[in-house]
Amino acid sequence: MFARDAIDPANRLEDGQTKKSLRYLAPEVVGTRQLTVSSDLFALGVIMYEILTGTTIDGGPDSPDITSVDVLQDFQRHMLLEIPPPHIYLEREAAIGAYTVELPPPQLSEIVMKCLAKNTEERYSSTDSLKYDLARLAQVIRARGDLSKLQIGEVDRISRYRTPKVLIGREEQVKELDAALSECSALADSETWATRVMTVYGQSGSGKTRLLQEWTQKLEQRGEGKKYLISYAKEDEHITRPLSSFTQIFDSLLERVLTDAKEDVDDWRKRIYAILGGHLDLFLKLLSPSSQRLLAPDRRERKPESIDVST
């Protein structure tokens, strides 16, 4: 039976809890005082280590006096502690005649040490992955199979796979976009706007739109978003939607300008209204609903006039 004090994972650990449970805390918890699933797996690894070896991971007493715990020295020692794998520890004890014991398989030690990994990326990512390895190990042992063929952590490694959040292998295309932007920037001075149009071509589904999305996001992250107004559209949508490319571009530029706290929104609206004149209503119909609300928030959608076709 094992018991522990009730700890709310949503709250940071207090000093008393940290000192009392230091041996069972993952290294990252010592600094953050925040418990996670990964830190729970570390604590479980400590308990498994104690069951297998009959000793603590640091060789200290089972119940240390928390009043003697030094916050800096003991915490640092815990984070840097080198823990010998259970089967290695037991081999050493047996070699000096401390006791005779049937050594656990190295694979079980490997499972325990994976739980005790200081780097969270090397630790089990879930209890399901740990459970799988333990169940598989037990199955092979019962069947007296070849333990050397058992790969610890393989399922855990596979379960960590995530679809990349960024495009891979598009460095050359990004360089070309950056070069085109630099040329355009060199043409403009403080009072002149320069415009450049580029065509990005490739097979359907090859990631052209995604490439442009990531590129513009990086410009924003570098703080260059205020220097340029960049937009893009798909020309192939002209087939089913006339003026689609233009409205896509205008939609994105409109959102960029009219949602910027540093811009004079009313002034921009007056300029656009003056240019469009009597074509404003027709132009609004081409835009997305969100752009319509941005450009003409006071205009209500007009219902089509009813026509009496009765005879």
Side-chain angles (χ1 to χ4, degrees):
M1 292 291 292
F2 293 93
R4 70 172 191 179
D5 296 335
I7 297 175
D8 183 359
N11 298 327
R12 289 167 56 89
L13 295 178
E14 298 177 355
D15 287 343
Q17 293 172 318
T18 304
K19 291 181 179 180
K20 184 177 181 180
S21 306
L22 178 60
R23 182 179 293 141
Y24 300 91
L25 297 182
E28 70 273 11
V29 177
V30 175
T32 63
R33 307 290 183 91
Q34 202 75 39
L35 297 176
T36 63
V37 172
S38 182
S39 65
D40 282 347
L41 287 169
F42 181 92
L44 179 59
V46 175
I47 294 174
M48 294 168 64
Y49 191 95
E50 293 175 347
I51 293 174
L52 283 174
T53 64
T55 186
T56 58
I57 60 173
D58 55 9
D62 293 338
S63 302
D65 181 6
I66 63 172
T67 60
S68 63
V69 175
D70 184 278
V71 175
L72 294 179
Q73 185 175 351
D74 289 340
F75 281 20
Q76 184 177 22
R77 181 165 58 246
H78 174 69
M79 295 178 70
L80 300 177
L81 178 66
E82 294 294 334
I83 308 172
H87 75 285
I88 299 295
Y89 172 83
L90 292 173
E91 283 180 353
R92 293 175 183 172
E93 293 297 304
I96 62 176
Y99 45 70
T100 302
V101 65
E102 183 178 353
L103 297 176
Q107 290 77 11
L108 181 55
S109 281
E110 191 176 347
I111 291 174
V112 173
M113 297 309 293
K114 187 169 177 62
C115 289
L116 295 175
K118 288 182 170 58
N119 188 339
T120 56
E121 293 298 319
E122 298 174 3
R123 205 177 299 158
Y124 280 105
S125 60
S126 69
T127 54
D128 287 337
S129 298
L130 170 60
K131 180 181 178 182
Y132 176 88
D133 278 354
L134 288 172
R136 182 65 177 151
L137 175 60
Q139 183 182 20
V140 175
I141 291 175
R142 292 192 189 100
R144 297 185 179 181
D146 187 357
L147 289 174
S148 64
K149 296 181 180 180
L150 186 63
Q151 296 185 348
I152 301 301
E154 183 66 14
V155 170
D156 182 69
R157 182 186 65 80
I158 296 174
S159 68
R160 290 174 181 264
Y161 174 78
R162 298 291 185 272
T163 303
K165 295 182 179 180
V166 297
L167 290 176
I168 299 174
R170 297 295 188 186
E171 293 79 10
E172 291 301 319
Q173 287 84 357
V174 171
K175 287 181 181 178
E176 291 181 17
L177 290 171
D178 285 338
L181 185 65
S182 297
E183 292 178 10
C184 186
S185 178
L187 295 175
D189 55 34
S190 59
E191 298 180 355
T192 306
W193 285 91
T195 303
R196 177 151 189 180
V197 178
M198 288 191 66
T199 300
V200 179
Y201 59 91
Q203 293 183 348
S204 178
S206 59
K208 302 182 293 296
T209 302
R210 180 69 181 275
L211 171 65
L212 292 170
Q213 287 175 343
E214 290 195 6
W215 179 62
T216 53
Q217 287 173 1
K218 288 181 180 179
L219 290 177
E220 294 284 351
Q221 293 171 358
R222 295 202 302 256
E224 298 181 15
K226 300 298 182 184
K227 296 168 58 179
Y228 313 105
L229 288 177
I230 300 175
S231 190
Y232 47 86
K234 295 183 177 181
E235 286 192 356
D236 55 1
E237 293 193 7
H238 271 300
I239 299 173
T240 56
R241 295 174 56 193
L243 299 178
S244 173
S245 298
F246 169 75
T247 54
Q248 285 182 54
I249 291 175
F250 193 83
D251 275 340
S252 61
L253 294 177
L254 195 64
E255 181 179 1
R256 169 71 182 278
V257 172
L258 299 188
T259 60
D260 191 334
K262 295 182 179 180
E263 296 289 347
D264 188 336
V265 177
D266 290 334
D267 182 58
W268 274 105
R269 287 198 182 107
K270 289 178 182 178
R271 294 185 189 182
I272 297 173
Y273 290 174
I275 293 173
L276 293 175
H279 300 292
L280 176 61
D281 287 334
L282 176 62
F283 187 76
L284 286 173
K285 293 178 181 179
L286 298 175
L287 303 179
S288 65
S290 60
S291 292
Q292 291 179 25
R293 289 191 293 270
L294 284 173
L295 185 56
D298 298 329
R299 286 175 176 259
R300 297 181 178 180
E301 184 178 354
R302 296 182 179 180
K303 295 182 180 181
E305 296 179 0
S306 59
I307 301 176
D308 186 3
V309 295
S310 61
T311 58

